[in-house]
Amino acid sequence: DVKVTQSSRYLVKRTGEKVFLECVQDMDHENMFWYRQDPGLGLRLIYFSYDVKMKEKGDIPEGYSVSREKKERFSLILESASTNQTSMYLCASSQSGIGTGGGSYGYTFGSGTRLTVV
Amino acid sequence: AQKITQTQPGMFVQEKEAVTLDCTYDTSDPSYGLFWYKQPSSGEMIFLIYQGSYDQQNATEGRYSLNFQKARKSANLVISASQLGDSAMYFCAMRENSNDYKLSFGAGTTVTVRA
């Protein structure tokens, strides 16, 4: 069964810590994404990557960085965690290419990491 | 501007009845795709159904159907014969040809199915 695996389900970190969230996919997908999910706001895109070592800012990149050294792995880094970064973080991957009508290439999501910064 | 709008924060539905979840979208791109995802309390996002902007017929997948009204820019999800396991949060999302590979999500609708 194809999968997107996030390394931690729950994480508690202290303010100011450097935090790494890891995501691995086994589908050979070109594209990988990091979203955060907050009540009433849905999912908001933090960063995405369409190739190894390539990255693009999403809608809310401030306070985050990413790393993609290998195709299957996409890491989200909180350089100095703050309490307003307490959230659910979802990683996803998708095939590249756009098909007819925007493409039927939806995302495959990981199970999420619930991060609490205290 | 909000690309995807879901106006129903929460809904209750009786078991075995149908429920309609509203979704409106905003795009000037003629080529786009619309998705619905289900998120149970366990947290994983489950793909339910897809509708392409050029598709002539409304998409259906088992008990899920998408009521696609292109002129009104709406893509409502209909769940027929609701089951207790349908209790979850549901997200509408859109992917535009002009916006590379990104999905834009709505705020979500929580559905609670009552026995």
Side-chain angles (χ1 to χ4, degrees):
Chain A
D1 196 15
V2 293
K3 277 190 176 175
V4 175
T5 303
Q6 294 183 230
S7 54
S8 303
R9 196 66 197 273
Y10 298 94
L11 214 50
V12 180
K13 295 292 182 181
R14 295 194 180 278
T15 303
E17 274 192 81
K18 190 169 186 176
V19 181
F20 293 85
L21 302 184
E22 305 288 345
C23 175
V24 177
Q25 52 100 358
D26 64 1
M27 295 166 285
D28 202 35
H29 282 170
E30 290 83 5
N31 308 320
M32 295 188 75
F33 309 83
W34 276 106
Y35 283 83
R36 65 176 281 176
Q37 181 182 358
D38 300 288
L41 297 177
L43 279 71
R44 293 178 292 165
L45 181 63
I46 305 171
Y47 267 96
F48 71 101
S49 168
Y50 52 89
D51 202 350
V52 175
K53 297 190 186 295
M54 305 302 288
K55 60 186 178 184
E56 293 280 345
K57 292 180 180 178
D59 300 318
I60 51 164
E62 296 78 20
Y64 304 95
S65 62
V66 290
S67 171
R68 193 168 181 198
E69 297 295 320
K70 294 184 178 181
K71 190 176 185 180
E72 67 271 18
R73 185 179 296 269
F74 192 34
S75 302
L76 180 70
I77 304 153
L78 287 66
E79 296 290 342
S80 177
S82 64
T83 54
N84 63 14
Q85 293 178 309
T86 291
S87 186
M88 168 75 105
Y89 290 86
L90 288 161
C91 175
S93 71
S94 76
Q95 289 176 273
S96 191
I98 304 289
T100 301
S104 60
Y105 301 136
Y107 290 11
T108 300
F109 282 88
S111 298
T113 296
R114 193 167 294 279
L115 172 68
T116 302
V117 182
V118 297
Chain B
Q2 196 75 4
K3 286 184 180 288
I4 297 286
T5 303
Q6 294 180 254
T7 57
Q8 305 152 311
M11 298 182 71
F12 290 95
V13 59
Q14 207 63 31
E15 197 176 9
K16 299 181 185 177
E17 291 185 352
V19 60
T20 298
L21 308 184
D22 295 340
C23 173
T24 57
Y25 59 92
D26 182 25
T27 182
S28 56
D29 194 329
S31 182
Y32 53 90
L34 297 156
F35 302 77
W36 277 93
Y37 286 85
K38 172 184 178 181
Q39 186 181 44
S41 56
S42 53
E44 77 271 28
M45 296 282 281
I46 302 166
F47 167 73
L48 295 178
I49 197 166
Y50 166 81
Q51 179 84 43
S53 60
Y54 295 122
D55 293 344
Q56 295 298 312
Q57 293 188 322
N58 287 347
T60 60
E61 290 285 349
R63 293 187 298 110
Y64 303 108
S65 61
L66 201 152
N67 183 4
F68 181 46
Q69 297 187 44
K70 196 170 182 176
R72 296 179 61 186
K73 293 188 175 178
S74 80
N76 298 341
L77 176 71
V78 181
I79 306 173
S80 62
S82 296
Q83 301 171 357
L84 295 178
D86 294 333
S87 294
M89 179 160 277
Y90 291 81
F91 290 96
C92 180
M94 175 176 66
R95 177 180 181 173
E96 301 161 286
N97 243 23
S98 57
N99 204 15
D100 294 325
Y101 319 102
K102 296 180 283 187
L103 281 179
S104 300
F105 286 83
T109 297
T110 300
V111 172
T112 304
V113 180
R114 290 170 162 160

